[in-house]
Amino acid sequence: MRLAVFASGGGSNFQSIIDAVQRGDLPQTELGLCVSNKPQAGALQRAATHNIPTAVLRADAFDAEAAYTDALLDVLQTHRIDFVALAGYMRKVPSAVVAAYADRMVNIHPSLLPAFGGQGLYGRRVHKAVLAAGVRWTGATVHLVDDDYDTGPIVVQEPVIVEQADTPETLAARVLQTEHRLYPQALRLFAEGRVRIVGRTVQIAPPAS
Ligand code: GRF
């Protein structure tokens, strides 16, 4: 599959996907594009280092949502992208783009959804909320993208223990390590055609023997 990764930040998850492709752990996957809404995103540097095409679509460069939607659809088509992975993309993906990539667009979220997700719960805020709630476990979730925040069908999850001494930063760092392992694994399931979406749930077929 030809994958586009959308990222607004440092892009460490994007890097984990690049590394997995290079190691041969994502055999059927080609990195076709990195999209960002932030010209300074570290993810764009990572793409450049690995000769992956980039597209910067700044919010303020489009006066209307429709123009932003068209620009996104256009760049995805130009690069023949058939699967999208959001990795710290801090802008809502327009409905028409979600629809065009229905069941072919995933996101990674740093908690065990449906807990600690939704609008406004991103980055450090997620881990702060986890600590404030006093839960003993958090984790990472890869889910399909629908029209809301963090609500699409869950593909894979992995738990992470919350330690007594954790701060949002130490917790974020540990969850991020898990994310880096989990995201390439989830993408591989799609690349191997093992994911079946049944209503609100996802079924994963065993590996071909
Ligand atoms: C990750 O924690 C991811 O779960 C969230 O945004 C963060 C992105 O980090 N959606 P990075 O840019 O991949 O380092």
Side-chain angles (χ1 to χ4, degrees):
M1 66 187 186
R2 269 182 72 78
L3 178 67
V5 177
F6 287 28
S8 306
S12 69
N13 275 290
F14 177 39
Q15 186 68 52
S16 76
I17 297 166
I18 295 172
D19 293 346
V21 169
Q22 292 196 334
R23 277 198 310 270
D25 283 348
L26 271 172
Q28 297 92 330
T29 305
E30 213 181 319
L31 275 162
L33 183 65
C34 173
V35 172
S36 188
N37 58 335
K38 302 269 181 217
Q40 303 308 329
L44 293 169
Q45 290 299 322
R46 297 181 195 269
T49 305
H50 295 277
N51 294 317
I52 298 163
T54 58
V56 180
L57 301 178
R58 291 170 55 141
D60 58 7
F62 304 94
D63 5 304
E65 184 74 357
Y68 171 61
T69 303
D70 288 348
L72 262 180
L73 286 172
D74 190 51
V75 76
L76 291 170
Q77 195 179 19
T78 302
H79 289 273
R80 304 187 323 281
I81 297 304
D82 49 39
F83 200 95
V84 173
L86 309 182
Y89 190 62
M90 300 302 286
R91 177 145 196 223
K92 196 153 194 282
V93 178
S95 291
V97 180
V98 174
Y101 285 85
D103 300 344
R104 296 183 297 144
M105 184 182 293
V106 290
N107 180 43
I108 187 153
H109 184 80
S111 77
L112 291 177
L113 290 175
F116 306 105
Q119 190 167 14
L121 275 174
Y122 56 86
R124 188 178 189 275
R125 294 177 184 206
V126 177
H127 306 292
K128 224 179 137 196
V130 163
L131 291 174
V135 294
R136 301 299 186 200
W137 291 89
T138 183
T141 303
V142 177
H143 64 92
L144 285 147
V145 174
D146 65 11
D147 261 335
D148 217 326
Y149 289 94
D150 305 324
T151 52
I154 290 167
V155 183
V156 286
Q157 292 187 301
E158 196 176 311
V160 171
I161 288 178
V162 179
E163 305 283 0
Q164 197 105 350
D166 265 329
T167 63
E169 288 69 30
T170 59
L171 191 53
R174 270 203 328 287
V175 171
L176 205 51
Q177 283 177 12
T178 297
E179 292 181 47
H180 294 162
R181 198 171 50 248
L182 195 64
Y183 215 178
Q185 283 172 8
L187 292 170
R188 184 172 180 145
L189 295 174
F190 283 94
E192 291 175 344
R194 292 168 56 197
V195 177
R196 206 174 121 226
I197 297 134
V198 186
R200 297 275 318 145
T201 66
V202 168
Q203 289 181 355
I204 311 236
S209 49

